[in-house]
Structures are given as C-alpha cells and as structure tokens.
Amino acid sequence: VFLCMKFEVPRMLKGGAGGSIVNTASMVGLVGDGGHPAYAASKHGVVGLTKTVAIMYGKTGVRVNAVCPGVIRTPMSEKTFTEHPELRASSIGMAPMDRFAEPEEVAQAIVWLCTSQASFITGHALPVDGGYVIR
C-alpha cells in the first residue's frame, strides 16, 4: 500500500487533475482481533496510512480512502468453511446482515469512491461488512 501510493500520488500530481486512491484494509483494521495480531496491525496500518496521505494531499485534489471488507464469499473463504464448517455459522453471525459479502458488493463500493459522487470524501475507511463493526 505504501509503495503503491508512493508512485500513484506523484503521477496524479503531475497530471494536475487530482484523482482517487482506494486502499483495501479490512473490518479488522477498524476493530481488534484477538486471534490474528499481525493481520490486525497491518490493516490498522493501512487505515492510518490512508488517513495520513489524505491529509497530506487533500488540497491537491488527490482523495485517498480505504474499504474495509468483512467476510467475502470467495473460493478461498469457501475452502476454509468446507474444511472448518463450524466457522461458517460463527462468521455469518458476526454481522447484523447475517450473510457474507459478494465480491461485487465490495467492488461497487470501490468504484463509487472513485466517482464524482464521492468527490468530498477523503480519509475515510468505509466498512463493507454487513454491519460487523457497529456491534
């Protein structure tokens, strides 16, 4: 994330029109996670870096946000839940919406953050988690 922004921001500044960067963190970047401290620390770092770069370049028209997905239905998550079926129910139960996200739902949030409809949003970490972090 750091290296991407290191090269993205100068290109956006050179172009003169600003731009939008959307980093990917995790819902774990907004709350603690008792079982995965290194993962939680790295995702908190993505959120902190997102906010810092948003402050640094806000006046230039470069907007920097992050999405913080919850559990997404992917081949990797399905494999995990097949191997550990007890995790499926507990994982679904963590979010008030009582289901996993589809990859397209996260993608739509990212696309929206890049549009002019989100032109006054910067430094935000947007949970796309079915309500997990509001608990």
Side-chain angles (χ1 to χ4, degrees), residues 44-110:
H44 274 78
V46 170
V47 171
L49 188 58
T50 297
K51 292 178 179 186
T52 299
V53 175
I55 291 168
M56 291 171 65
Y57 294 99
K59 291 180 182 177
T60 69
V62 174
R63 297 182 302 109
V64 186
N65 293 290
V67 292
C68 299
V71 180
I72 304 167
R73 185 183 316 279
T74 65
M76 184 177 81
S77 66
E78 288 301 321
K79 181 177 186 278
T80 299
F81 295 135
T82 298
E83 294 171 359
H84 306 281
E86 71 283 0
L87 292 177
R88 182 180 297 276
S90 65
S91 296
I92 287 176
M94 292 189 305
M97 292 185 80
D98 202 36
R99 67 177 179 84
F100 299 133
E102 296 299 328
E104 295 80 8
E105 292 174 301
V106 179
Q108 289 167 356
I110 293 168

Side-chain angles (χ1 to χ4, degrees), residues 19-42:
S20 179
I21 297 170
V22 181
N23 296 318
T24 303
S26 167
M27 64 185 181
V28 177
L30 301 172
V31 296
D33 180 4
H36 305 93
Y39 181 77
S42 70

